[in-house]
Amino acid sequence: MVAILCLAFAASAADISGKWTVDASAAPAGAPPGGGRGGGMGGGTYEFKAAGDKLTGSITRPGFNGGDPTTTPIADGKVTGDTLSFTVTQSFGGNEFKTAYTGKITGDKSDKIELTFDMGGRGNPRTITLKKGD
C-alpha cells in the first residue's frame, strides 16, 4: 500500500527539471521574439529543478544593450500535475518588482509549457511558450 501511495505521489507532478527556452515559433503574430526588448520579461533561459511538488531554479536573461546576462532565482515555486507557479523578484533603479508566473505543461511528451506572467499591474499579463532545451 505504501509503495502505491509513493508511486501516486510521484506521478502527481510532472518532472520539468532542466533548461527551457522561449519557442519563438509559437509567438503570436506581430509579437517580438522572446517577449520584447533584450529578450523582454518573458525571454531568456528558464532552468527548473523539481523535487516532488517543490519547484526551484532560475531565469537567465540576455543583458540590456549587450551587457552581461542576469540570473534571477525562482521563489514560491510549485508544480502539481501539469500545472506550475512561481515568482521572481528583480531590482531596477533601486525598486523591486515581483512577477508572478503560472503555467501548464503541454505537448505529446510534456515538452512544452504555456507560461503566463503578470508583472503586478505593469501592463497586461503575457503568455509565452517554452520548449524543453538540451
Side-chain angles (χ1 to χ4, degrees):
M1 183 69 162
V2 172
I4 292 171
L5 288 174
C6 288
L7 287 173
F9 178 74
S12 68
D15 185 7
I16 61 169
S17 296
K19 290 185 180 182
W20 296 75
T21 57
V22 174
D23 184 356
S25 69
R37 182 181 91 197
M41 290 300 296
T45 301
Y46 294 69
E47 186 158 358
F48 297 126
K49 297 172 189 166
D53 67 348
K54 185 174 180 171
L55 181 65
T56 60
S58 62
I59 303 171
T60 301
R61 294 185 181 89
F64 183 66
N65 286 335
D68 291 332
T70 59
T71 300
T72 308
I74 290 172
D76 309 316
K78 186 174 183 178
V79 59
T80 306
D82 64 354
T83 62
L84 65 138
S85 62
F86 61 92
T87 62
V88 296
T89 303
Q90 295 180 291
S91 295
F92 295 108
N95 297 310
E96 286 194 342
F97 300 95
K98 192 174 198 175
T99 303
Y101 292 77
T102 57
K104 183 167 179 74
I105 303 159
T106 64
D108 293 339
K109 300 176 186 173
S110 298
D111 57 353
K112 293 191 179 195
I113 298 175
E114 296 293 325
L115 193 63
T116 300
F117 55 98
D118 183 352
M119 298 181 290
R122 297 176 319 278
N124 294 325
R126 295 183 187 173
T127 300
I128 58 173
T129 300
L130 302 179
K131 62 182 177 179
K132 187 92 179 208
D134 299 324

